[in-house]
Amino acid sequence: MTIDYIDKIPNNVDLGRDRVLQRALEHWQPAYMGWWYDMGPSESHKLDVYLRTAISVDPEGWAQFDYVKMPDYRWGIFLAPLAGERQVNFGANKGLPAWQECPGEFRSALRRIIVTQGDTEPASVEQQRMLGFSCPSLYDLRNIFQVNVEEGRHLWAMVYLLHRYFGRDGREEAESLLERRSGDADNPRILGAFNEPTPDWLAFFMFTFFTDRDGKYQLSSLAESGFDPLARTCRFMLTEEAHHMFVGETGIGRIVQRSAEVTAAEKLDDPDHVRALGVIDLQTIQRYLNFHYSVTLDLFGSDVSSNAATYFTTGLKGRFEETRIKDDHVLTDAVYPVFEVRNGEIVEQPVPALTALNERLRDDYIKEVTSGVERWNRIIAKTGLPVRLALPHKGFHRAIGNFAGHHITPEGRVVSAEEWQRHEPEWLPSGADHAFVQSLMTGRVVERGKFANWIAPPRAGINNQPLDYEYVRFN
Ligand SMILES: [Fe+2]
Ligand SMILES: [Fe+2]
């Protein structure tokens, strides 16, 4: 399964055999480049970046590393190979052969799923476009650019599906994906978290740890889809996504390490004293964590959702690791617990499992982020400090689902609006917190092997290169 790089659009879908589709995509390509120049990383056309490019979709050695100017990145269309005779593995159509074309009755639901996923990809590039100016090292600069070009490729992946399977509606949706803008008042991105600014590197690492991981869970459940082209597209996207979450987890880990080491070595207990040394205090890190975690939990949607039930029953969107779950994969009689606020208390409420699939996916996600936070806490523990980071209660600061409209503390207590407001500065990053974090990030660190004062160096370089490798060349 090698990729055809001779074509204008690299692909492993035999694009050359479908002239109409090829022409439609070649028509979209300049609009995409226009968007990249407008909204992609600032200065991206001037720098040579040590990037990996997919050259095959084989699990072994699919990537090649070399210096690339980002606009010359070989964005293309790569699907995981056909896996024999796949079936629909869940829902009312379980046991039917997987669909190779889009079934007419599911067209609008599928298009909506693909557009919603596709919209997040350019959104995050837009959110991050200015961060290159304040990078803490060449290593980190290279990593954010890698994430950006791969999010661009994920947009290509979704646009291919729209063009190939949804005719004229699909082509119109593909154009709209280049027209919406993150945070724009008139034409915003579809989902809330993708309209929030990513103003600094602490926010960027939190975003890649928490929000890219929402992407992983959404892609994983779409990788189970009975619509085979979607399943295969998402399976390949997941291999790229893993690196984004690595960037987030190690980025926060390195900031936590620096913070804990300075705090412990200087025996500091006042966050202002930590800040005075040009390091981010653990309290501020906790507040950023609370924010990014809670807005990301909202991305999973309402706790009880008839759309989620329909997507599952029809076979369009499965559960996380669907085929490994030991049950009937139909869920007609199963129940699942969700939570709601009743008379000022959070109470458990069993509902039909089919309607609780968003909540179930959210719970699967929470398990994984919990272990990430534990790994950060081990870094703190090594310095001897007694402080620990913690995930807030899942009802904290929620705008979607059963907790929306309620005031819930990080410990999970329902409180009044007044009490909430009084404590908000302890729980969520304030303007002053943002101003402080940004004051540390006013310029970029581009000397080989050097790292900003507020972050520890990583344990290893990229692709076995040394830490002082010239990951980005300024020309
Ligand atoms: Fe992505
Ligand atoms: Fe990502």
Side-chain angles (χ1 to χ4, degrees), residues 70-329:
M70 279 178 279
D72 300 335
Y73 187 78
R74 303 300 276 143
W75 284 290
I77 301 155
F78 317 124
L79 273 62
L82 268 172
E85 302 280 285
R86 239 186 114 236
Q87 293 190 338
V88 182
N89 293 315
F90 55 91
N93 297 310
K94 185 172 169 252
L96 292 181
W99 303 292
Q100 297 305 328
E101 292 293 329
C102 176
E105 66 269 42
F106 307 146
R107 238 179 113 87
S108 69
L110 265 174
R111 197 181 61 211
R112 182 164 161 203
I113 290 174
I114 293 168
V115 167
T116 309
Q117 177 61 42
D119 192 67
T120 66
E121 315 290 356
S124 64
V125 176
E126 292 165 5
Q127 288 169 299
Q128 297 160 13
R129 69 181 299 263
M130 302 308 286
L131 291 176
F133 290 119
S134 54
C135 65
S137 71
L138 286 181
Y139 165 92
D140 291 288
L141 184 60
R142 178 261 165 219
N143 281 351
I144 192 172
F145 288 156
Q146 183 73 56
V147 171
N148 293 156
V149 292
E150 286 175 355
E151 299 304 5
R153 207 204 65 73
H154 291 176
L155 172 60
W156 271 93
M158 294 296 117
V159 163
Y160 164 72
L161 295 175
L162 289 170
H163 273 240
R164 166 73 180 76
Y165 298 97
F166 297 88
R168 188 168 155 192
D169 302 356
R171 289 194 294 277
E172 281 169 9
E173 294 283 14
E175 276 165 32
S176 303
L177 285 169
L178 296 175
E179 284 159 8
R180 284 185 286 272
R181 292 285 181 271
S182 174
D184 190 284
D186 301 318
N187 197 12
R189 291 294 171 186
I190 296 170
L191 299 171
F194 292 89
N195 288 304
E196 299 284 349
T198 308
D200 57 63
W201 280 77
L202 181 56
F204 166 68
F205 289 131
M206 289 287 177
F207 185 95
T208 39
F209 178 79
F210 285 109
T211 312
D212 276 89
R213 195 180 311 273
D214 159 69
K216 169 185 168 178
Y217 278 76
Q218 300 301 337
L219 292 174
S220 298
S221 48
L222 295 176
E224 305 287 342
S225 181
F227 179 44
D228 202 46
L230 175 62
R232 288 161 54 210
T233 304
C234 291
R235 233 169 295 140
F236 185 65
M237 289 164 76
L238 280 166
T239 64
E240 293 167 313
E241 208 60 67
H243 175 69
H244 307 179
M245 288 172 295
F246 162 84
V247 169
E249 176 165 340
T250 55
I252 300 292
R254 290 158 54 210
I255 294 174
V256 165
Q257 184 187 336
R258 181 77 183 126
S259 178
E261 281 173 359
V262 168
T263 309
E266 306 292 323
K267 300 196 168 37
L268 301 173
D269 46 23
D270 181 344
D272 286 339
H273 295 160
V274 179
R275 288 182 171 201
L277 296 172
V279 172
I280 306 171
D281 50 294
L282 289 166
Q283 291 85 344
T284 299
I285 296 172
Q286 176 69 59
R287 287 192 287 274
Y288 268 65
L289 181 160
N290 291 350
F291 175 78
H292 287 270
Y293 177 63
S294 56
V295 297
T296 304
L297 288 187
D298 275 340
L299 289 174
F300 289 84
S302 297
D303 315 42
V304 175
S305 158
S306 59
N307 270 344
T310 308
Y311 293 163
F312 183 84
T313 304
T314 48
L316 303 184
K317 184 178 178 186
R319 289 169 293 176
F320 182 62
E321 301 193 322
E322 180 68 45
T323 46
R324 292 204 204 158
I325 301 173
K326 297 220 170 350
D327 64 16
D328 67 358
H329 303 277

Side-chain angles (χ1 to χ4, degrees), residues 354-465:
L354 266 181
T355 63
L357 289 166
N358 287 342
E359 185 67 359
R360 181 182 172 124
L361 194 61
R362 184 163 27 236
D363 288 341
D364 288 335
Y365 166 88
I366 291 173
K367 269 182 231 145
E368 198 173 279
V369 290
T370 304
S371 8
V373 174
E374 278 164 18
R375 287 190 288 274
W376 295 334
N377 279 335
R378 265 177 254 147
I379 298 174
I380 304 175
K382 268 199 205 145
T383 66
L385 286 183
V387 200
R388 295 293 177 264
L389 297 169
L391 292 174
H393 186 273
K394 78 173 163 183
F396 170 78
H397 188 237
R398 291 287 303 283
I400 289 176
N402 290 351
F403 293 114
H406 297 282
H407 297 96
I408 295 164
T409 68
E411 293 74 37
R413 223 162 31 86
V414 185
V415 295
S416 66
E418 294 71 44
E419 188 171 351
W420 166 274
Q421 270 150 22
R422 227 174 320 121
H423 290 283
E424 193 180 328
E426 298 156 34
W427 296 334
L428 289 171
S430 63
D433 289 337
H434 282 126
F436 166 69
V437 171
Q438 283 162 40
S439 76
L440 300 179
M441 303 175 191
T442 50
R444 57 187 172 198
V445 179
V446 292
E447 220 176 304
R448 288 169 62 167
K450 280 266 176 332
F451 290 83
N453 180 56
W454 48 267
I455 190 166
R459 253 184 267 156
I462 290 295
N463 195 32
N464 297 320
Q465 300 292 358

